[in-house]
C-alpha cells in the first residue's frame, strides 16, 4: 500500500469508522494456505465418487455450489456433504499475518467490526494466542453481546466450530429457517451499527462467488463512505466476480481504491504503521517534560521507531500498556504516556540503542513498561512470562510505586526446574532506574 493509503486508513481507525470485510482469499495466503473453493469441490467429489457413487456427474467436480446443491437435492447436504465430505482438517492451519492484524484491530477496536465469509477460526485462534477472550458472532444478536469484549467479528456464512451443520454452502440453504433468521438478524445489526463507515475489503473477490453475492446484498444498506479493496486480481475482474460488491463500491459519493496486493501482506503493513504510530505517540507525550527537565531540545531522531516486525512492535505496545505476554494489548491510544515517554527519551539521549524488546545501554538490556497506578512488587508478579520470552537485565516500571518490601515470594528458579520462576531481571521504578543507569 502507498503511504497515502495507509494514512487514510489510519485516520479512519482513529475516527472510529473502519470496517474490515474479509473472505477466503485472506486465508489462502501462506502459511495458512487454505484450499480454494475449486480444490474443496474436487476433494469432496473425488471422495464421494470413490466411496459411494462412481457414476456421479463429472460436471460437478469443479463447481462447489453445484456440488452442494446436488446433495441438497438428495436431502443429505448436512449428513453427507457437510459432516462427512468437507475436508474440515484442511481448515485447521496456522494463522497468517493478515489474521493477526484483524485480531489486533478488533481487540483494540481500531476497527469497529469485522465481517467474514470464512468458516475457519484463524482470526479467533490468533486472538486466543494473544490471550484474548474472543469469539466470532454467528448473527447480529450475538454481535451485540460480543461487543462488550471486543469489536465484533460477524461470521456471515457460519463457523467450522460453532454449529457446523448450519454453515452456508449453497443458495438453496438461504431458505433454511435457521440460516435465513441469522442473516435477517445480521442485516438489522449491520444497518443499525455499520452505516457510513470506511470498508476495507480483503480477499473477498475470490472464487466463492455465491457467498460474495449473499454478503454483497447484505452490505447494500450500509452505504459506505469509502471502499478500499485489497486483492491480487485485475481491477476489471472484480466486477465480474462480485457485481453486488462492485455496485456498492461505485455508488455515488463513495471513494473507491483497488490495492493490487496480497491481503495478508497489506494488512501487516497497516498493522506495523498502526503500532509504530502508537509508540510514536508515547514518545511525543513525554517530549515537553523531557525538554523542560533537561533543557535540551528533543532530537527528531529520538522520536522515531525502529524498523521491527509486527510481533516485535506488538510486544512494545504491550509494554507501553503495562500488560505481560499472556494478555492482549487492548488500547487504541496510549494511556498515561507522559512519564513513560519522558523516560524513553532519557534513554535515547543517553545513547541507548533500540531493540525489539527495549534497549541496550552500556552492555545491559533494558525493558521499559508502563507501571502507572501499580505497586512495583505486585506488577513484577504479573510479569512471570514463558521462558521463550526475551529476558532483560533491567526492567523499568515507569509510574510504579516502590514500597521497598520483598516483591515476590516465588524463588528465581534454575534451568530445568518444574517450578515456574519469577520475573527475571532487576526491577526499578523511574527514579531507581535513573540512579542505576546514571541518566
Amino acid at each position: 500500500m502507498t503511504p497515502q493509503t495507509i494514512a487514510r486508513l489510519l485516520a479512519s481507525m482513529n475516527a472510529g469508522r473502519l470496517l474490515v470485510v474479509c473472505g477466503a482469499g485472506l486465508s489462502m495466503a501462506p502459511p495458512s494456505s487454505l484450499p480454494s473453493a475449486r480444490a474443496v469441490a474436487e476433494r469432496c467429489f473425488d471422495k464421494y465418487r470413490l466411496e459411494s457413487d462412481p457414476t456421479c456427474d463429472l460436471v460437478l467436480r469443479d463447481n462447489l455450489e453445484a456440488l452442494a446443491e446436488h446433495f441438497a437435492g438428495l436431502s443429505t447436504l448436512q449428513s453427507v456433504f457437510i459432516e462427512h465430505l468437507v475436508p474440515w482438517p484442511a481448515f485447521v492451519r496456522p494463522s497468517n499475518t493478515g489474521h493477526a492484524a484483524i485480531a489486533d484491530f478488533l481487540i483494540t477496536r481500531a476497527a469497529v467490526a469485522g465481517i467474514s465469509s470464512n468458516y475457519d477460526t484463524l482470526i479467533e485462534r490468533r486472538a486466543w494466542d494473544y490471550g484474548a477472550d474472543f469469539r466470532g458472532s454467528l448473527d447480529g444478536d450475538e454481535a451485540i453481546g460480543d461487543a462488550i469484549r471486543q469489536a465484533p467479528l460477524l461470521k456471515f456464512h457460519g463457523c467450522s466450530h460453532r454449529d457446523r451443520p448450519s454453515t452456508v454452502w449453497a443458495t438453496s440453504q438461504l431458505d433454511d429457517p435457521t440460516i435465513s433468521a441469522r442473516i435477517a438478524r445480521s442485516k438489522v445489526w449491520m444497518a443499525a451499527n455499520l452505516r457510513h463507515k470506511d470498508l476495507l475489503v480483503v480477499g473477498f473477490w475470490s472464487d466463492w462467488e455465491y457467498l460474495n453475492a449473499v454478503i454483497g446484498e447484505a452490505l447494500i444498506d450500509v452505504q459506505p463512505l469509502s471502499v478500499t479493496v485489497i486483492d491480487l486480481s485485475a481491477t476489471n475482474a472484480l466486477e465480474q466476480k462480485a457485481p453486488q460488491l462492485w455496485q456498492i463500491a461505485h455508488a455515488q459519493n463513495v471513494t473507491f481504491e483497488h490495492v493490487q496486493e496480497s491481503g495478508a501482506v497489506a494488512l501487516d503493513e497497516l498493522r506495523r504503521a498502526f503500532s509504530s504510530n502508537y509508540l510514536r505517540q508515547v514518545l511525543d507525550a513525554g517530549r515537553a517534560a523531557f525538554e523542560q527537565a533537561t533543557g535540551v531540545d528533543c532530537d527528531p531522531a529520538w522520536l522515531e521507531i525502529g524498523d521491527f516486525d509486527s510481533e516485535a512492535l506488538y510486544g512494545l505496545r504491550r509494554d507501553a500498556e503495562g500488560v505481560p505476554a499472556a494478555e492482549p494489548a487492548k488500547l487504541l491510544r496510549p494511556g498515561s504516556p507522559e512519564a513513560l515517554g519522558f523516560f524513553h527519551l532519557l534513554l535515547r539521549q543517553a545513547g541507548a540503542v533500540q531493540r525489539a524488546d527495549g534497549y541496550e545501554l552500556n552492555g545491559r538490556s533494558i525493558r521499559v513498561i508502563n507501571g502507572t497506578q501499580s505497586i512495583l512488587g505486585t506488577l513484577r508478579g504479573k510479569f512471570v512470562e514463558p521462558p521463550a520470552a526475551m529476558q532483560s537485565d533491567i526492567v523499568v516500571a515507569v509510574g510504579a510505586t516502590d514500597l521497598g518490601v520483598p516483591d515476590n515470594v516465588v524463588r528465581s528458579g534454575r534451568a530445568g526446574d518444574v517450578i515456574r520462576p519469577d520475573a527475571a531481571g532487576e526491577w526499578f521504578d523511574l527514579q531507581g532506574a535513573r540512579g542505576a543507569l546514571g541518566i
Side-chain angles (χ1 to χ4, degrees):
M1 287 192 287
T2 66
Q4 293 77 14
T5 301
I6 291 175
R8 178 171 57 80
L9 294 174
L10 290 175
S12 179
M13 286 181 174
N14 286 299
R17 290 192 172 276
L18 188 70
L19 169 62
V20 180
V21 181
C22 61
L26 175 64
S27 294
M28 291 167 66
S32 306
S33 303
L34 264 58
S36 66
R38 179 169 182 155
V40 171
E42 290 172 351
R43 292 172 68 169
C44 292
F45 179 90
D46 291 346
K47 183 176 182 179
Y48 178 67
R49 207 164 191 259
L50 181 64
E51 292 180 345
S52 304
D53 186 2
T55 65
C56 190
D57 192 346
L58 282 170
V59 173
L60 301 176
R61 187 173 186 268
D62 61 357
N63 188 325
L64 184 60
E65 182 181 9
L67 183 62
E69 290 289 12
H70 171 76
F71 287 97
L74 298 174
S75 299
T76 57
L77 180 64
Q78 291 185 355
S79 60
V80 174
F81 180 77
I82 294 177
E83 294 288 9
H84 178 63
L85 296 178
V86 173
W88 292 109
F91 290 78
V92 184
R93 297 281 299 158
S95 58
N96 61 43
T97 55
H99 299 119
I102 294 176
D104 191 3
F105 296 159
L106 294 177
I107 294 168
T108 57
R109 303 180 191 270
V112 295
I115 299 176
S116 174
S117 67
N118 296 349
Y119 312 126
D120 64 69
T121 59
L122 298 184
I123 293 173
E124 295 98 311
R125 288 177 62 188
R126 195 54 171 261
W128 300 333
D129 289 343
Y130 289 141
D133 176 20
F134 189 103
R135 77 166 185 173
S137 310
L138 295 182
D139 60 30
D141 289 355
E142 287 194 358
I144 293 172
D146 291 338
I148 297 172
R149 295 184 300 273
Q150 83 231 9
L153 173 65
L154 178 62
K155 305 187 77 169
F156 207 80
H157 302 304
C159 177
S160 62
H161 283 210
R162 301 188 61 215
D163 197 6
R164 182 180 290 179
S166 295
T167 49
V168 181
W169 296 86
T171 304
S172 62
Q173 287 180 275
L174 303 182
D175 295 326
D176 177 274
T178 298
I179 292 173
S180 62
R182 281 181 181 170
I183 292 177
R185 290 193 294 269
S186 296
K187 287 182 177 180
V188 170
W189 175 77
M190 291 164 63
N193 295 277
L194 304 182
R195 288 172 61 84
H196 301 154
K197 299 294 188 291
D198 297 307
L199 269 60
L200 176 60
V201 184
V202 186
F204 205 85
W205 264 273
S206 66
D207 52 359
W208 301 71
E209 295 179 25
Y210 70 100
L211 298 185
N212 290 351
V214 175
I215 201 168
E217 180 184 347
L219 285 170
I220 289 176
D221 292 334
V222 170
Q223 299 179 0
L225 298 176
S226 70
V227 178
T228 304
V229 176
I230 302 174
D231 197 289
L232 289 168
S233 301
T235 301
N236 59 9
L238 301 181
E239 182 177 9
Q240 299 173 4
K241 285 189 174 183
Q244 291 91 343
L245 287 174
W246 183 265
Q247 179 182 353
I248 293 168
H250 289 81
Q252 188 175 6
N253 299 322
V254 176
T255 301
F256 174 77
E257 181 179 359
H258 175 205
V259 178
Q260 202 166 357
E261 191 174 2
S262 160
V265 171
L267 282 171
D268 191 56
E269 291 176 355
L270 181 60
R271 186 188 184 202
R272 288 180 62 200
F274 168 73
S275 295
S276 294
N277 280 6
Y278 180 102
L279 296 169
R280 197 173 293 113
Q281 290 174 60
V282 172
L283 297 174
D284 187 71
R287 182 173 184 170
F290 169 82
E291 292 181 343
Q292 183 176 4
T294 63
V296 176
D297 290 337
C298 182
D299 188 328
W302 298 342
L303 299 173
E304 293 303 313
I305 306 300
D307 186 21
F308 304 119
D309 64 30
S310 289
E311 293 306 313
L313 291 170
Y314 185 70
L316 293 173
R317 279 173 45 211
R318 271 175 162 150
D319 286 351
E321 195 171 318
V323 298
E327 299 178 21
K330 294 183 177 180
L331 297 183
L332 174 61
R333 299 178 185 85
S336 305
E338 185 178 14
L340 189 65
F342 167 76
F343 186 74
H344 276 284
L345 293 175
L346 283 179
L347 284 171
R348 292 168 181 235
Q349 180 197 30
V353 178
Q354 290 186 67
R355 301 184 351 160
D357 60 341
Y359 297 93
E360 184 171 345
L361 179 64
N362 298 326
R364 291 189 287 184
S365 57
I366 304 166
R367 181 178 179 182
V368 183
I369 65 176
N370 192 337
T372 302
Q373 297 182 342
S374 298
I375 302 300
L376 186 65
T378 303
L379 186 65
R380 179 176 181 176
K382 293 179 180 178
F383 275 76
V384 178
E385 297 174 318
M390 292 184 179
Q391 302 295 336
S392 300
D393 299 322
I394 292 175
V395 181
V396 184
V398 178
T401 302
D402 186 359
L403 298 180
V405 298
D407 54 28
N408 204 319
V409 296
V410 181
R411 64 187 176 85
S412 296
R414 299 181 299 274
D417 277 357
V418 295
I419 298 177
R420 184 176 65 172
D422 67 354
E426 296 182 85
W427 281 62
F428 297 96
D429 61 8
L430 190 151
Q431 292 305 322
R434 293 190 70 176
L437 296 170
I439 58 175

